[in-house]
Amino acid sequence: MAIKTKFPIGQLLIEKKIITPEQLEIALKKQKETNEPLGVTLIKLGFIEEETIFLPVLAGQMGVDYVNLKDIEIPPEVLSKIPAKFASHYKIMPFAFRSNTISIATAVPIDIHLLDEIGLVVNYPLQSVLASEKDILEAIRKYYGVGAETIEKMMGSVQKSNQQETEIAEIDETGSEASISKFLNQILLQAYRDRASDIHIEPFEDNLQIRYRVDGILYDAKVPPNIKHFKDEINSRIKILSNLNIAEKRLPQDGRFKVRVKDVDIDLRVSFLPTPYGESVVLRVLNSTRLFSFEELGLIDYERKILEELVKKPHGIIFLTGPTGSGKTTTLYSCLSQVNTEDRKIITIEDPIEYQLKGITQIQTNPRIGLTFAHGLRSMLRHDPDIMMVGEVRDRETAEIAIQVALTGHLIFSTLHTNDAASGVTRLLDMGVEPFLVTSTIECFIAQRLIRMLCSKCKQPTKLNDQLLKDFEGQVEIPKDMTIYEGKGCESCKMTGYIGREAIYEFLLMTEPIRQLIMQRATVNQIKEKAIEQGMKTLRQSGWDKVVHGLTTPEEVVRVTKEET
């Protein structure tokens, strides 16, 4: 729309000595060729600047204010006053809401018809100001999002399909009728309250046993004996929740479902196994909203600094090692959350996906259709990732592809099932990976275990017995006047003396002496001895640090590090 002012804009600019008569004459000749507005021609010729000169002058001549949208931050409550589809259609941008009036930026602030149309939609008085159309369109993309008006239109024309989505059931102890559903809810609630990581439902010849794994130790759930008569109904209910085949009882089945307890989403991973007395079920309890910081994992200062430096590496492989249930996945997710920023593309391939991470592309392996770790890893490269996580390196093919990916400038996190960090080296060599590939790509092997922490409410000083002294002899320094603690047991910790777990770590960094030993195909003990000589703390030594600080007991450290010599 053409904007009419009191005086021609060219004459106005000459009067304000912004352009010369000669420049105006050149612009008028150019305008005849292009048929563009004079202001646009003057800007293209470089005689004036749109934002700092032309628009402020034009706004003054029209009797309205001028706003540079690039210089202001628009609050969300202002954006909510005008829908994206209207902002995009009318090319306007709301930027302030004061005294019950919306201030809008538009390229045609004196268009009465435009203001009337918008006023009918928003039901607020409007105050229009002049702004660059280019800046308005850029602000719409910035604040409403690319394609926001299209999404709004689609949302208005389609029915919500919540019925097709997986519902998250609210569970509590209320409920008027006795049913299998209510009993299962009670089992899940008790598991949540007891901080259980797993629920085991195991059929035997004359009873059905239900146990919770709390802090790595299994405890009997003490259910009524008559529950054995309802084992098939319990299994069927779990299968329905997990979208599994309730008629199939001869083959293993895996699934998952979600429940909500007091605004906390609990993800339950389900596994069925056939036994002579019926199906055995294990439900892995995962808090899908809970991610741990490095401090919460149990990393002490020097370990945290090492890990923080490792995750900043531009390329290479970081392996976590340890048996099943040692917390490797939790540590991996913590590492990923540290590096999960908008400027990084992160892809994972896992078996199974234990936690849903926002902003990260996660792939579930499916060997039945050929989607293995190796196949998925090859395809991931085509998606231009910066960082990748491979759930586990199980074979030579996966190991070699991961190494080739690391050589091309990617950072990879993965796991190996070995007892200590040094054994990770020999595991790769045993798979057939060449030593020079190990030394050129891997940054660190990190072994870890989970140890139970003393209950703060019932821990008390005690003496270190001679047998435990022998277990730590030659590995740690034990002051004669050292105070250690034990858990007496109380209601808070269910009389166990422990509550919660933290990880202990062993960091085998790829130093030059370690690389030389790997090239020589040295034994595990030779690599470990050299690493200790260079300052590596073993798992037992890491656990002893927590004993010294009164966080756990020597017995607990010995229990989880029995393979240490």
Side-chain angles (χ1 to χ4, degrees):
M1 175 180 176
I3 300 174
K4 295 181 180 180
T5 60
K6 295 178 182 178
F7 300 102
I9 191 67
Q11 181 184 343
L12 187 66
L13 292 171
I14 290 174
E15 288 180 1
K16 290 183 176 290
K17 297 183 179 180
I18 294 172
I19 62 172
T20 64
E22 291 79 11
Q23 288 176 323
L24 177 59
E25 188 176 347
I26 294 171
L28 289 171
K29 288 181 181 178
K30 186 70 175 176
Q31 185 193 23
K32 289 179 181 178
E33 299 173 6
T34 61
N35 290 321
E36 291 178 330
L38 180 60
V40 174
T41 305
L42 287 166
I43 292 167
K44 285 187 175 181
L45 290 171
F47 295 157
I48 59 173
E49 293 181 4
E50 182 181 35
E51 293 177 358
T52 58
I53 298 176
F54 178 68
L55 289 177
V57 170
L58 185 61
Q61 188 62 16
M62 288 191 292
V64 298
D65 292 331
Y66 164 73
V67 65
N68 188 341
L69 291 173
K70 293 178 181 177
D71 295 338
I72 60 175
E73 190 69 26
I74 303 173
E77 57 268 21
V78 174
L79 300 173
S80 65
K81 304 298 180 186
I82 296 181
K85 58 185 177 183
F86 290 110
S88 180
H89 176 74
Y90 292 112
K91 295 182 181 177
I92 61 171
M93 189 66 206
F95 64 91
F97 184 69
R98 302 184 191 94
S99 303
N100 211 37
T101 299
I102 303 175
S103 297
I104 62 168
T106 170
V108 283
I110 58 175
D111 187 344
I112 303 299
H113 298 294
L114 172 68
L115 298 178
D116 287 344
E117 287 183 32
I118 300 169
L120 291 173
V121 174
V122 300
N123 295 321
Y124 285 106
L126 298 174
Q127 180 185 10
S128 62
V129 302
L130 180 67
S132 161
E133 183 174 317
K134 177 183 174 184
D135 288 352
I136 292 170
L137 296 176
E138 184 62 36
I140 291 172
R141 284 191 291 270
K142 176 182 176 181
Y143 290 101
Y144 286 108
V146 177
E149 77 287 352
T150 306
I151 297 299
E152 281 190 1
K153 289 175 184 176
M154 290 193 296
M155 290 298 291
S157 62
V158 299
Q159 296 292 329
K160 291 184 178 180
S161 57
N162 289 344
Q163 294 82 0
Q164 298 177 1
E165 296 177 1
T166 303
E167 293 187 1
I168 302 176
E170 292 271 4
I171 63 171
D172 54 37
E173 291 185 317
T174 61
S176 56
E177 297 183 4
S179 65
I180 291 299
S181 295
K182 183 177 179 181
F183 174 76
L184 183 60
N185 285 353
Q186 291 169 331
I187 291 293
L188 297 176
L189 267 174
Q190 193 59 45
Y192 173 75
R193 289 168 180 159
D194 289 349
R195 301 174 297 101
S197 60
D198 300 89
I199 305 169
H200 295 250
I201 304 174
E202 304 159 311
F204 296 99
E205 186 176 7
D206 55 356
N207 72 310
L208 182 69
Q209 185 179 50
I210 298 181
R211 294 188 289 173
Y212 298 143
R213 186 178 294 278
V214 181
D215 295 335
I217 307 296
L218 280 170
Y219 297 96
D220 192 355
K222 292 184 172 57
V223 292
N226 292 336
I227 193 63
K228 65 184 178 182
H229 301 298
F230 301 98
K231 61 182 181 182
D232 290 336
E233 288 85 349
I234 293 170
N235 288 351
S236 294
R237 177 60 183 163
I238 295 172
K239 286 179 179 178
I240 289 169
L241 290 170
S242 308
N243 292 318
L244 299 177
N245 184 358
I246 61 173
E248 181 57 72
K249 299 180 180 180
R250 301 168 299 168
L251 293 173
Q253 292 192 75
D254 295 318
R256 66 194 308 158
F257 66 96
K258 282 186 177 182
V259 295
R260 182 173 291 125
V261 183
K262 297 177 182 178
D263 298 325
V264 177
D265 288 347
I266 305 297
D267 200 350
L268 293 138
R269 205 176 75 209
V270 181
S271 180
F272 281 85
L273 281 178
T275 75
Y277 303 109
E279 290 177 290
S280 177
V281 191
V282 174
L283 295 91
R284 170 67 61 87
V285 183
L286 302 166
N287 186 339
S288 57
T289 60
R290 181 79 167 101
L291 283 176
F292 292 87
S293 66
F294 285 170
E295 291 81 0
E296 291 172 317
L297 289 174
L299 289 156
I300 57 179
D301 287 343
Y302 91 95
E303 292 172 339
R304 189 180 72 253
K305 289 176 182 176
I306 293 174
L307 193 53
E308 285 174 348
E309 289 301 316
L310 285 171
V311 299
K312 291 177 184 176
K313 297 278 187 181
H315 52 76
I317 305 177
I318 299 169
F319 274 113
L320 273 90
T321 73
T324 301
S326 59
K328 300 187 300 297
T329 302
T330 301
T331 301
L332 279 177
Y333 281 127
S334 295
C335 291
L336 290 178
S337 66
Q338 287 282 325
V339 297
N340 185 17
T341 56
E342 288 187 358
D343 60 342
R344 289 191 177 105
K345 170 81 169 183
I346 302 176
I347 309 179
T348 74
I349 180 163
E350 307 168 58
D351 182 23
I353 296 172
E354 293 198 3
Y355 298 91
Q356 304 288 342
L357 298 176
K358 290 184 178 179
I360 293 178
T361 303
Q362 295 175 270
I363 306 169
Q364 167 74 55
T365 61
N366 190 345
R368 287 180 294 180
I369 60 172
L371 181 52
T372 60
F373 282 115
H375 186 199
L377 192 52
R378 286 195 194 95
S379 299
M380 285 157 63
L381 273 177
R382 302 186 190 109
H383 284 251
D384 187 29
D386 299 294
I387 298 169
M388 288 180 277
M389 192 264 272
V390 183
E392 184 185 350
V393 170
R394 298 174 179 171
D395 51 51
R396 177 178 177 177
E397 183 183 15
T398 307
E400 288 184 340
I401 295 171
I403 285 170
Q404 292 300 325
V405 171
L407 285 171
T408 59
H410 298 83
L411 181 62
I412 300 177
F413 296 93
S414 191
T415 69
L416 286 169
H417 279 105
T418 62
N419 288 330
D420 59 11
S423 298
V425 176
T426 55
R427 175 62 54 86
L428 291 175
L429 296 180
D430 290 342
M431 286 180 185
V433 179
E434 292 295 331
F436 74 91
L437 291 175
V438 175
T439 59
S440 58
T441 56
I442 295 168
E443 297 293 338
C444 186
F445 289 93
I446 308 171
Q448 77 171 80
R449 297 287 188 281
L450 293 175
I451 59 172
R452 294 180 293 170
M453 310 306 288
L454 281 167
C455 174
S456 59
K457 294 184 178 179
C458 66
K459 74 176 184 179
Q460 58 187 16
T462 186
K463 293 182 180 179
L464 186 62
N465 64 55
D466 293 337
Q467 179 57 45
L468 285 171
L469 277 171
K470 291 180 181 178
D471 289 324
F472 289 95
E473 191 175 1
Q475 299 182 58
V476 297
E477 293 183 8
I478 307 175
K480 292 181 180 179
D481 58 347
M482 176 182 172
T483 301
I484 65 167
Y485 294 86
E486 65 178 0
K488 184 179 179 181
C490 64
E491 290 185 5
S492 295
C493 60
K494 307 289 186 185
M495 305 307 294
T496 63
Y498 299 94
I499 185 165
R501 289 189 292 176
E502 285 188 2
I504 55 175
Y505 293 92
E506 181 178 283
F507 288 82
L508 177 63
L509 294 166
M510 286 289 108
T511 60
E512 191 55 38
I514 297 296
R515 287 191 173 95
Q516 291 176 5
L517 287 175
I518 294 172
M519 292 299 294
Q520 297 166 12
R521 294 183 179 270
T523 64
V524 172
N525 287 339
Q526 288 173 324
I527 294 171
K528 189 168 187 176
E529 286 172 7
K530 176 59 71 173
I532 293 171
E533 182 183 313
Q534 292 190 299
M536 182 187 81
K537 282 193 174 183
T538 64
L539 286 167
R540 184 160 290 187
Q541 289 169 339
S542 179
W544 183 255
D545 284 341
K546 297 189 185 298
V547 174
V548 171
H549 288 90
L551 300 175
T552 190
T553 63
E555 292 88 349
E556 179 66 9
V557 175
V558 171
R559 182 183 71 84
V560 299
T561 60
K562 286 179 180 177
E563 67 276 6
E564 294 275 347
T565 57

